[in-house]
Amino acid sequence: MPARIASDQILRWPLLPVLAAQGLSVRRKAQLLPEPKGPREGRAGRGPRLRLLIAGDSSAAGVGAGTQAQALSGHLVGKLAKHHSVEWRLEATTGHTTEDTINRLQSLQGRFDVVVTALGVNDVTRAVTRKQFVERQTRLVDVLTGTFGARRVVVTAVPQMGRFPALPQPLAWVLGRQAARLDHGLRQVADACPQVRHLTLDLPDDPALAAPDGYHPSPKTYALWAEEAARLLLQV
């Protein structure tokens, strides 16, 4: 029996001129926020050794924060350093898809105990299908748990793009529905591997949680995200 085609997938074709115009408008108005300054690797804390890798796109890189200390890496290392001697590394770049991240990690040497990933937005905007996304995320998990030996991987949910303040309707609806499909696939990838946990951020509609560009997290969101990621990483 053929898979049912969702309403947004049907309507995106007649809506294509509107969606294209809105996409161009969003790009023109977008504030191109830089990746924050600060170290992308280091050591912190005391206790049992914990090797941490953070990998992904612009949100993993901390866009929307002024410094790495205010971004995911800074908040997360601070949380984990209360319990461990943390050796950490950030491998993230604005615009990266899951495939880009896999390619980037191929040249990375070393082993990691725990990993946090943040991917999906660029897969959505590059029209990656759910099937492709699941296949690529599965390969990424294989690299993280196999090549790097991670015993715990936290995959951050694909953001709810329909709630991004920067996106007008119907573009927000179309991208939001596709993001939800990819995230459903990401949950399946996590459920299939005992080392992986899927992290959903249940955030309220609070303007303070978005960066000035209406597209990236604010330092407040990074702090909440790090708290939830640390909780999952520290679970026995």
Side-chain angles (χ1 to χ4, degrees):
M1 185 176 179
R4 181 181 176 185
I5 301 176
S7 58
D8 63 290
Q9 293 175 310
I10 296 171
L11 291 173
R12 74 175 56 173
W13 294 109
L15 286 173
L16 192 57
V18 175
L19 298 176
Q22 289 184 334
L24 288 173
S25 177
V26 168
R27 288 191 183 94
R28 283 197 300 267
K29 295 177 182 178
Q31 301 179 36
L32 299 179
L33 299 180
E35 295 181 4
K37 296 179 180 180
R40 293 195 170 215
E41 60 182 317
R43 297 185 179 186
R46 292 183 178 181
R49 183 188 189 196
L50 188 71
R51 296 166 295 182
L52 166 70
L53 172 66
I54 302 169
D57 55 22
S58 57
S59 61
V63 172
T67 66
Q68 286 295 336
Q70 299 173 315
L72 175 64
S73 63
H75 286 293
L76 182 56
V77 170
K79 294 285 184 183
L80 297 176
K82 295 177 182 179
H83 309 275
H84 291 273
S85 175
V86 182
E87 300 173 13
W88 64 277
R89 186 179 183 98
L90 173 63
E91 294 286 340
T93 299
T94 297
H96 268 196
T97 63
T98 302
E99 189 72 24
D100 294 327
T101 300
I102 293 170
N103 293 336
R104 176 174 183 154
L105 295 180
Q106 298 297 331
S107 61
L108 188 62
Q109 302 294 319
R111 305 278 285 183
F112 297 95
D113 302 304
V114 295
V115 181
V116 175
T117 67
L119 289 160
V121 167
N122 299 307
D123 293 270
V124 171
T125 59
R126 307 278 180 86
V128 171
T129 67
R130 180 181 176 279
K131 181 179 179 181
Q132 291 171 327
F133 188 68
V134 167
E135 185 273 331
R136 293 169 189 179
Q137 284 286 327
T138 299
R139 281 197 286 125
L140 177 59
V141 166
D142 288 344
V143 170
L144 298 175
T145 59
T147 305
F148 296 139
R151 63 176 187 265
R152 176 58 53 84
V153 177
V154 171
V155 293
T156 307
V158 180
Q160 298 176 32
M161 297 183 70
R163 297 174 63 188
F164 282 11
L167 298 179
Q169 297 294 353
L171 182 63
W173 175 66
V174 170
L175 295 181
R177 290 290 296 271
Q178 181 64 5
R181 270 190 292 274
L182 296 196
D183 190 55
H184 186 265
L186 185 61
R187 285 181 180 273
Q188 290 185 318
V189 173
D191 290 344
C193 183
Q195 296 104 308
V196 180
R197 298 291 182 274
H198 180 277
L199 170 57
T200 300
L201 291 174
D202 187 15
L203 301 173
D205 288 321
D206 180 354
L209 296 177
D213 65 356
Y215 201 82
H216 289 93
S218 70
K220 183 177 180 179
T221 300
Y222 283 124
L224 295 171
W225 181 2
E227 183 175 355
E228 288 302 302
R231 179 181 60 82
L232 292 176
L233 293 176
L234 294 172
Q235 283 181 350
V236 177

